């Protein structure tokens, strides 16, 4: 039976967590990555060479490396940062490699595909848009006044309440290959990750948003394990509210949440049902208690979602995790 095709959307460490889980289920994976980073090595290369910021693309490729000597070595090479008193300080090797291939080949997608072949990556990595993007956020300060925060790195660190985010340019062109991947997928996964700067931006690129709304694929949202600076004080329900605000017509089939991150299960189940979906509670965090997703636990939870839909007409083939976690929690269930 043909394995299901997954598209995972996001950026940074959140997308890496999803990809690390998905590569245990299938090699039919496409990562669609945000391209609004303006800080660190990515920001410097973006400003100096007028290219897409490569950092989140690099992290996605690294997450798709196999857990073998080859995969671990190339993952470490890709992620290695120089330390010096000169211009190379804190540049990531993978960022330089990606940009070099873009210059040599003159094609963004070909360059990323070549890196994927070098790494023997279990899937494909694509940018969500064909041009670099900037993020702006309307915020409410602690004293009730309103303001605007500009730039992905600044929005990610703001502690003011974010009312809304938008992209510059306002209606950026989507990458055609990313749109095609979403339309051809069996399953689309949003989150976890920085909600306003990595997850929601995909819903603000018109062609990509249209594909997310109209694809026949089923849609899964993986919730964060804790709030971040940009979502300070927001629980899972408020995260779903933010999705609804920026994409009122978005439909979800399942929401995966860790029980320890949910204060009111009934309320979250009700919010999920409002999107047309079902809530699955599973322990997906690491066993050491750190607020990081465990790849095997998350893979098992995603597999449970797929299995739950197998009885539906036209459901895609089910993946099976390539391992089991010794401490996996199986007490949760799909709320209907």
């Amino acid at each position: 039976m043909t394995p299901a095709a997954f598209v995972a959307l996001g950026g940074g460490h959140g997308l890496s967590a999803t990809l690390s889980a998905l590569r245990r289920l299938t090699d039919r994976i496409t990562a669609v990555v945000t391209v609004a980073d303006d800080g660190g090595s990515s920001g410097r290369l973006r400003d100096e060479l007028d290219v897409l910021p490569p950092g989140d693309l690099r992290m996605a490729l690294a997450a798709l490396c196999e857990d073998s000597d080859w995969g671990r070595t190339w993952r470490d090479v890709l992620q290695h940062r120089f330390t010096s008193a000169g211009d190379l300080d804190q540049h990531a090797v993978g960022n330089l490699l990606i940009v070099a291939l873009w210059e040599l080949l003159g094609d963004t997608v070909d360059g990323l595909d070549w890196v994927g072949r070098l790494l023997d990556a279990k899937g494909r990595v694509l940018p969500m848009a064909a041009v670099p993007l900037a993020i702006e956020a309307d915020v409410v300060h602690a004293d009730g006044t309103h303001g605007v925060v500009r730039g992905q790195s600044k929005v990610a660190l703001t502690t003011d309440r974010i009312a809304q985010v938008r992209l510059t340019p306002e209606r950026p062109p989507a990458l055609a290959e990313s749109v095609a991947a979403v339309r051809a997928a069996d399953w689309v996964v949003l989150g976890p990750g920085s909600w306003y700067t990595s997850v929601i931006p995909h819903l603000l690129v018109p062609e990509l948003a249209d594909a997310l709304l109209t694809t026949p694929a089923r849609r899964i949202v993986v919730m964060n394990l804790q709030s971040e600076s940009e979502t300070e004080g927001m629980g899972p329900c408020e995260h779903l509210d933010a999705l609804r605000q920026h994409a009122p017509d978005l439909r979800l089939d399942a929401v995966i949440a860790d029980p320890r991150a949910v204060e009111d299960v009934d309320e979250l189940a009700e919010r999920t049902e409002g999107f047309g979906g079902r809530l699955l509670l599973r322990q997906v965090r690491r066993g050491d208690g750190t607020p990081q997703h465990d790849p095997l636990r998350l893979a098992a939870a995603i597999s449970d979602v797929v299995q739950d839909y197998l009885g539906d007409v036209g459901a895609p083939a089910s993946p099976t995790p390539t391992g089991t976690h010794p401490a996996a929690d199986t007490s949760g269930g799909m709320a209907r």
Side-chain angles (χ1 to χ4, degrees), residues 194-251:
S194 300
W195 218 244
Y196 287 107
T197 54
S198 292
V199 177
I200 287 176
H202 292 83
L203 303 170
L204 305 179
V205 179
E207 293 168 284
L208 186 59
D210 181 68
L212 286 167
L213 294 177
T214 59
T215 178
R218 300 198 188 279
R219 305 163 188 85
I220 301 172
V221 164
V222 180
M223 304 304 301
N224 290 343
L225 298 174
Q226 65 178 17
S227 61
E228 301 179 320
S229 293
E230 65 183 54
T231 54
E232 186 64 36
M234 291 174 58
C237 290
E238 289 75 24
H239 280 68
L240 291 184
D241 290 344
L243 286 183
R244 175 69 77 202
Q245 177 190 357
H246 288 84
D249 297 324
L250 179 65
R251 179 180 172 276

Side-chain angles (χ1 to χ4, degrees), residues 74-94:
W74 278 109
R75 177 199 63 203
D76 292 346
V77 169
L78 217 63
Q79 299 286 56
H80 178 74
R81 291 184 184 271
F82 296 104
T83 300
S84 76
D87 292 340
L88 275 177
D89 186 50
Q90 292 305 299
H91 268 306
V93 172

Side-chain angles (χ1 to χ4, degrees), residues 112-149:
L112 293 169
D113 285 345
W114 270 100
V115 178
R117 285 196 286 272
L118 173 66
L119 305 177
D120 193 24
K122 304 307 175 186
R124 193 182 196 195
V125 174
L126 300 170
M128 72 174 184
V131 298
L133 304 177
I135 294 178
E136 293 184 353
D138 295 327
V139 300
V140 181
H141 303 304
D143 62 3
T145 60
H146 295 256
V148 177
V149 178

